[in-house]
């Protein structure tokens, strides 16, 4: 008996899910699209994963589409030394575009020099590795208190611990003047996406119709 899959499941192939065995299990469980996240890992790394996907498809006889996920205009906190950062509610923290400085509980270097011009006191900023829900402790909600030159001073609205080298920064309802596709995105699309004849291109941080046209 054949029942068509009415729901499509997109699965990200990462460090723990890139072996032929792991991918085969994902396919058997119902994964119908394999997502390749180019915000980390190089083309060679993802090519190896793609070859494993092809072997898994042959072994399981289950079709699976390939999705290339671009980095897009992503604002990031840069934590080069990968120290664990503890942020306490009601304390202050400064967001600075000077990436040479060390990240700490008082200072968070970011990859965008125009933040001070884009925000105003009262603006909301989220920082973390995942979407902010208000209940987890791996993301933090900040409120802009003042702008000092290129730096943005914020009040921490919830206690959180940030661990790792990069954290996504999201400014609520604020236009950020960054290109839809970076040169790195275009390079990956040309040198990895096109030769591998990918099925889907995921455009990260889509803001308006012009992003899609580009």
């Amino acid at each position: 008996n054949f029942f068509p899959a009415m729901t499509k499941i997109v699965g990200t192939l990462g460090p723990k899910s890139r072996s032929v065995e792991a991918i085969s299990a994902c396919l058997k469980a119902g994964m119908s699209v394999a997502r390749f996240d180019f915000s980390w890992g190089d083309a060679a790394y993802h090519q190896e994963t793609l070859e494993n996907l092809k072997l898994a498809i042959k072994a399981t006889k289950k079709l699976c589409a390939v999705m290339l996920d671009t980095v897009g205009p992503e604002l990031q906190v840069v934590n080069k030394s990968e120290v664990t950062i503890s942020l306490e509610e009601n304390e202050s923290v400064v967001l600075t575009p000077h990436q040479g400085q060390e990240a700490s509980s008082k200072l968070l270097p970011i990859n965008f020099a125009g933040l001070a011009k884009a925000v105003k006191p009262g603006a909301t900023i989220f920082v973390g590795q995942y979407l902010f829900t208000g209940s987890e402790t791996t993301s933090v909600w900040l409120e802009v208190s003042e702008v000092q030159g290129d730096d943005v001073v914020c009040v921490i609205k919830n206690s959180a611990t940030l661990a790792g080298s990069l954290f996504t920064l999201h400014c609520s309802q604020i236009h950020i003047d960054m290109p839809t596709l970076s040169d790195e995105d275009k390079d990956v699309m040309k040198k990895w996406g096109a030769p591998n004849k990918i099925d889907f291109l995921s455009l990260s941080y889509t803001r308006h119709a012009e992003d899609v046209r580009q």
Side-chain angles (χ1 to χ4, degrees):
N1 293 330
F2 175 75
F3 293 93
M6 302 304 289
T7 300
K8 303 296 186 287
I9 299 175
V10 180
T12 302
L13 301 186
K16 295 182 180 179
S17 57
R18 64 189 298 257
S19 67
V20 176
E21 294 74 21
I23 297 173
S24 295
C26 290
L27 291 171
K28 291 175 182 177
M31 180 178 75
S32 45
V33 181
R35 172 178 172 264
F36 290 77
D37 181 5
F38 273 81
S39 64
W40 60 274
D42 57 18
Y45 177 90
H46 289 297
Q47 188 66 42
E48 186 177 303
T49 306
L50 180 60
E51 298 307 320
N52 286 347
L53 172 64
K54 292 176 182 178
L55 292 173
I57 289 173
K58 287 183 179 179
T60 60
K61 294 182 172 62
K62 291 185 180 293
L63 290 175
C64 184
V66 175
M67 175 186 286
L68 164 57
D69 195 347
T70 62
V71 177
E74 183 176 51
L75 296 179
Q76 295 175 335
V77 172
V78 182
N79 182 15
K80 292 181 179 179
S81 57
E82 298 191 24
V83 295
T84 299
I85 302 169
S86 296
L87 300 170
E88 297 296 329
E89 186 176 352
N90 294 324
E91 293 291 317
S92 291
V93 66
V94 177
L95 303 178
T96 179
H98 305 295
Q99 297 183 43
Q101 299 189 51
E102 285 292 323
S104 69
S105 59
K106 298 295 183 184
L107 187 75
L108 297 177
I110 61 174
N111 67 340
F112 179 52
L115 185 64
K117 295 179 180 179
V119 299
K120 296 178 180 178
T124 300
I125 297 175
F126 301 114
V127 179
Q129 292 179 316
Y130 308 103
L131 290 176
F132 185 90
T133 65
S135 61
E136 76 292 289
T137 58
T138 57
S139 298
V140 67
W141 166 30
L142 307 175
E143 185 177 284
V144 176
S145 59
E146 62 177 312
V147 174
Q148 297 179 346
D150 292 334
D151 295 343
V152 177
V153 183
C154 302
V155 175
I156 301 166
K157 305 301 284 187
N158 69 292
S159 296
T161 300
L162 304 179
S165 59
L166 288 174
F167 317 106
T168 299
L169 185 150
H170 174 70
C171 301
S172 180
Q173 298 180 327
I174 295 170
H175 175 72
I176 299 299
D177 188 21
M178 294 178 74
T180 307
L181 293 170
S182 67
D183 290 339
E184 290 79 7
D185 285 330
K186 294 175 182 177
D187 197 52
V188 166
M189 290 163 61
K190 180 179 180 180
K191 296 181 179 178
W192 192 88
N196 284 308
K197 299 180 179 179
I198 61 164
D199 302 290
F200 296 103
L201 177 70
S202 177
L203 185 61
S204 297
Y205 301 96
T206 310
R207 298 159 295 187
H208 38 64
E210 187 54 35
D211 287 346
V212 181
R213 292 190 190 98
Q214 286 184 37

